[in-house]
Amino acid sequence: MNVTARVDKNENFDFVVSPAASAVYTYKKDNVIRLSFSSAIRNPTIADQYLYFNVGRAKLIGNLKGYDSLLTVPSLFAFFNSQNLDTLEYFNVDPVRPEKVKSVELGYRTTLWNSVFIDGSAYMSLYTDFLGYKVGVDTYIDTAIKRVVTAQTYRVSANSKDMVSTYGFSVGATYFFKQFYSLTGNYSWNVLDLRGSTDPIIPAFNTPEHKFNIGIGGRDIDRYYGPVHVKNWSFNINYKWIQGFNYEGSPQFTGYVPTYDMVDAQISKSIPKLYSTIKLGASNLFNKKRYQVYGGPYVGRLAYVSVMFDFAKK
């Protein structure tokens, strides 16, 4: 069992205490249950505090002092269409403050038949002051003639007013066979739940709900295949699949990232006499160009060669 506490202090924010506790119980052999409670904070980044960046359609701004009387974008469009001042909806944004989270996780690990390793866990996290963004328009409207004289759109760093939760689970398994080889796979499910909140916070969770990996590998292979002696070779091939998701960023860079998949591969050869290992590999082996961030570039194959010397073995 373990109990800890952490204290954080930032120049712009008050002291925050984060307690945590965990328990691990081993019953029989190779069967482990773990339960943990943790709490943590995430201080607003330098950008959340000080950013001032004009991207054309909007200005991305930090928020240490708060902003008053911003217009919601939908209500401004409604005013353009109706010329009815009553459609205008104003809101204030409080100064940004640290995000706080409390999490509970339950996990289980076991080994079956001395060859199958399984590890799974489920979690739930509750966030207060969840960091995100709000978009509003600072305007001057001549009410006499019902005309917008000036208007500037801002994306303001902000905290949610309501509690936000995330939950999910992950499970992974590895099967070791024929001394040198292994099959691996893992799957994760992650969900953001706004818990019915109508707060217009843009959470920028940016995490796919479903993703999985399947791979096969060999390590320090030393065996004959017919007359051929394969020695000191290792390899790994991994297939990954990521479900499409909504990516939330700045006003220009908010949109849908489509589902994508790719194959990574690596092969290596150790040379004991030279205390070295040579690796050749590639991520996105088949060069399927994909973008993982909305508004970002398409990324294709990245190939590499490395040579590692281990002088400690001399």
Side-chain angles (χ1 to χ4, degrees), residues 11 29 36 56-57 76 111 163 185 200 217 220 225 227 260 302 308:
E11 175 183 8
K29 183 182 178 181
S36 66
R57 290 176 58 192
L76 183 59
T111 301
M163 183 177 289
D220 298 326
Y225 294 90
Y260 63 94
L302 172 64
M308 180 180 70

Side-chain angles (χ1 to χ4, degrees), residues 118-290:
I118 300 174
D119 194 326
S121 63
Y123 75 93
M124 182 174 186
S125 300
L126 299 175
Y127 293 84
T128 53
D129 298 324
F130 191 88
L131 283 164
Y133 311 105
K134 291 185 178 179
V135 177
V137 186
D138 185 15
T139 63
Y140 169 66
I141 298 177
D142 189 330
T143 57
I145 60 176
K146 298 182 178 180
R147 179 183 175 187
V148 176
V149 180
T150 60
Q152 174 60 58
T153 303
Y154 292 104
R155 190 205 71 176
V156 184
S157 297
N159 300 90
S160 64
K161 294 181 179 179
D162 302 319
M163 183 177 289
V164 173
S165 67
T166 62
Y167 51 86
F169 72 88
S170 63
V171 60
T174 302
Y175 169 50
F176 299 94
F177 63 100
K178 293 188 180 296
Q179 187 178 356
F180 305 106
Y181 306 102
S182 64
L183 288 172
T184 61
N186 61 71
Y187 165 80
S188 67
W189 175 65
N190 298 280
V191 173
L192 172 69
D193 184 0
L194 297 179
R195 303 169 66 88
S197 173
T198 58
D199 188 346
I201 193 78
I202 299 173
F205 185 55
N206 298 341
T207 302
E209 182 175 355
H210 303 281
K211 60 181 179 180
F212 69 85
N213 293 268
I214 299 175
I216 183 171
R219 184 173 180 177
D220 298 326
I221 300 171
D222 185 0
R223 63 179 303 174
Y224 283 89
Y225 294 90
V228 180
H229 186 196
V230 176
K231 186 176 182 180
N232 297 327
W233 286 88
S234 301
F235 74 93
N236 185 66
I237 302 172
N238 187 66
Y239 170 80
K240 62 177 66 174
W241 180 91
I242 297 91
Q243 184 184 37
F245 61 97
N246 286 315
Y247 184 92
E248 296 171 320
S250 67
Q252 280 94 337
F253 304 123
T254 294
Y256 188 72
V257 175
T259 298
Y260 63 94
D261 61 353
M262 63 178 65
V263 175
D264 301 335
Q266 176 183 284
I267 188 169
S268 64
K269 167 70 173 176
S270 63
I271 307 174
K273 291 182 179 180
L274 298 178
Y275 309 101
S276 62
T277 301
I278 301 173
K279 294 182 180 180
L280 171 64
S283 60
N284 195 1
L285 178 65
F286 298 110
N287 201 32
K288 300 173 92 174
K289 291 183 169 59
R290 298 288 187 266

Side-chain angles (χ1 to χ4, degrees), residues 1 22-36 105-112 116-122 170 172:
M1 300 186 69
S22 63
V24 178
Y25 174 58
T26 302
Y27 72 98
K28 297 182 180 180
K29 183 182 178 181
D30 299 324
N31 289 271
V32 180
I33 296 175
R34 57 187 184 271
L35 175 65
S36 66
E105 181 178 357
L106 177 65
Y108 176 72
R109 185 180 75 234
T110 187
T111 301
L112 304 176
V116 179
F117 176 83
I118 300 174
D119 194 326
S121 63
S170 63

